[in-house]
Amino acid sequence: QVQLVESGGGLVQAGGSLRLSCTASGQTFSTSAMGWFRQAPGKEREFVGTISRSGASTDYADSVKGRFTISRDNAKNTVYLQMNSLKPEDTAVYYCAASGRIWLRSWYRRHSEYDYWGKGTQVTVSS
């Protein structure tokens, strides 16, 4: 079992920055591919970005590419989502997720492929 807890959400003005953290319990964090997803009211959960087990590889949704950066610290069992140049359309509940599968583009953008989820943290960007 892996338990994930997100933190760092809040209210920020457009153009501002936030850094989200997701801390995992259990000993399998370093062998888990991690993903960030978000869900706005009335919309489906959407892929934001992902990072491989080692942290050497990342991938992002086109909507956040160049503005968001994912990193991880396996010694701290934590994955981060640095969000810069925030826009009102980034407003959503942000979730981190973990999967024990080998990191491959064929699946890592699909939320159904992740095994464990946090409860989410709210990010609100005002215009």
Side-chain angles (χ1 to χ4, degrees):
Q1 281 280 357
V2 176
Q3 292 185 330
L4 304 174
V5 179
E6 302 96 337
S7 61
L11 174 64
V12 64
Q13 289 188 334
S17 298
L18 282 174
R19 188 176 80 156
L20 306 184
S21 299
C22 172
T23 301
S25 65
Q27 298 181 345
T28 60
F29 178 79
S30 63
T31 61
S32 297
M34 301 297 296
W36 283 97
F37 291 78
R38 65 187 182 186
Q39 188 165 17
K43 295 188 176 181
E44 293 187 356
R45 191 167 299 191
E46 67 171 349
F47 170 76
V48 174
T50 181
I51 188 165
S52 62
R53 297 172 176 179
S54 68
S57 301
T58 55
D59 194 15
Y60 301 92
D62 288 344
S63 58
V64 306
K65 198 171 293 184
R67 300 188 297 124
F68 290 11
T69 303
I70 297 175
S71 61
R72 67 190 295 165
D73 185 338
N74 285 345
K76 295 183 178 180
N77 279 11
T78 301
V79 62
Y80 305 97
L81 179 64
Q82 177 67 45
M83 304 185 295
N84 299 329
S85 302
L86 282 161
K87 305 174 181 180
E89 50 264 44
D90 294 318
T91 294
V93 177
Y94 283 71
Y95 300 90
C96 69
S99 173
R101 298 180 65 181
I102 295 174
W103 193 77
L104 292 173
R105 199 181 192 286
S106 60
W107 65 265
Y108 61 52
R109 288 178 174 239
R110 296 197 296 267
H111 63 81
S112 60
E113 300 290 349
Y114 288 80
D115 305 306
Y116 303 101
W117 290 83
K119 294 183 178 181
T121 185
Q122 176 71 46
V123 172
T124 303
V125 184
S126 62
S127 57

